[in-house]
Amino acid sequence: RRSISPYFEAKKAIERTVLAASCRGLKAVIVNPGAFLGPWEFRQVEASFVRSVMERRFPMVLDQAMCVIDVRDVAEAIDLALSRELFGLPIPLSGHNISLRDLVTWTARLAGLPPTQPFLLHPEAVSASVYWVQRLALAFGMAPPENLGFVPLIQDVVPMPPSPEQIRLGVQIRPLDLTLRDAIVFHRNRKPQSIHSTLIRS
């Protein structure tokens, strides 16, 4: 599953490089969080969970649970780790463990959408199908479908308890409904054209 995407090896290579540099004196904080949720997200709709729910793009989901965390909680954890000089120590960060179906249903309800119960798909079967579709595309010199690339990523965001490092750090995790509400408000107030123009000018 991981062999069809450079994402996984790239992430491991980056962490190995930073850890090696920290042994030589680099003051680097390393955190390993679950999947990000929250405001200030400027990714395309296909890569945005909350936007995808708001646009009703989840008629089906993988039958699995995952770990999600507010991006602001991650930022605060980094600040705490920096202030305590916890350099070169990977810190796993857990937020909320929840099934994908429940996360979609909850987000839709908070967004004021009609009640929805996505159809559940078997994760291993979907992952195997995506693997072979991407392998065949590469074998015939074609680019794999971009909208399938998220499947291997989702399967890696597994539920996890707070790590000892996180507990010692004293990270305060926001309630999930607050994270979802703030993300919904952000996307509803967002003006893509003005944001795009700002990025071009900068």
Side-chain angles (χ1 to χ4, degrees), residues 92-136:
L93 292 177
S94 174
H96 302 275
N97 296 318
I98 184 172
S99 72
L100 268 171
R101 172 185 267 183
D102 288 346
L103 191 56
V104 169
T105 302
W106 198 358
T107 305
R109 179 172 60 81
L110 293 175
L113 301 176
T116 179
Q117 281 292 326
F119 182 77
L120 294 177
L121 300 173
H122 193 277
E124 284 74 21
V126 172
S127 182
S129 300
V130 168
Y131 173 82
W132 287 112
V133 167
Q134 293 185 320
R135 277 295 186 196
L136 287 171

Side-chain angles (χ1 to χ4, degrees), residues 10-24 26:
K11 295 281 281 189
K12 289 191 294 183
I14 291 170
E15 183 164 303
R16 285 195 301 266
T17 301
V18 173
L19 285 171
S22 69
C23 292
R24 298 191 298 271
L26 178 68

Side-chain angles (χ1 to χ4, degrees), residues 19-189:
L19 285 171
S22 69
C23 292
R24 298 191 298 271
L26 178 68
K27 295 180 179 180
V29 163
I30 301 169
V31 296
N32 303 130
F36 288 136
L37 290 178
W40 311 315
E41 182 186 52
F42 298 98
R43 291 179 291 186
Q44 294 182 343
V45 62
E46 294 82 5
S48 169
F49 175 82
V50 173
R51 282 187 65 194
S52 293
V53 173
M54 293 171 68
E55 296 188 13
R56 303 183 186 182
R57 292 175 175 242
F58 278 115
M60 301 175 287
V61 296
L62 298 181
D63 184 13
Q64 71 173 65
M66 62 188 300
C67 178
V68 296
I69 187 170
D70 194 303
V71 65
R72 295 167 293 186
D73 296 339
V74 177
E76 290 174 6
I78 293 172
D79 278 345
L80 285 170
L82 285 169
S83 66
R84 299 180 190 180
E85 298 187 353
L86 300 179
F87 305 132
L89 171 69
I91 304 172
L93 292 177
S94 174
H96 302 275
N97 296 318
I98 184 172
S99 72
L100 268 171
R101 172 185 267 183
D102 288 346
L103 191 56
V104 169
T105 302
W106 198 358
T107 305
R109 179 172 60 81
L110 293 175
L113 301 176
T116 179
Q117 281 292 326
F119 182 77
L120 294 177
L121 300 173
H122 193 277
E124 284 74 21
V126 172
S127 182
S129 300
V130 168
Y131 173 82
W132 287 112
V133 167
Q134 293 185 320
R135 277 295 186 196
L136 287 171
L138 292 172
F140 286 96
M142 299 183 296
E146 290 186 9
N147 59 346
L148 297 181
F150 73 94
V151 174
L153 306 186
I154 289 178
Q155 284 202 275
D156 258 49
V157 189
V158 296
M160 59 180 180
S163 65
E165 295 85 2
Q166 176 176 340
I167 293 171
R168 287 196 296 270
L169 204 56
V171 181
Q172 299 296 314
I173 301 298
R174 285 171 173 78
L176 183 53
D177 63 330
L178 177 60
T179 296
L180 295 174
R181 289 179 192 276
D182 288 350
I184 291 166
V185 169
F186 170 80
H187 287 301
R188 282 185 172 155
N189 292 338

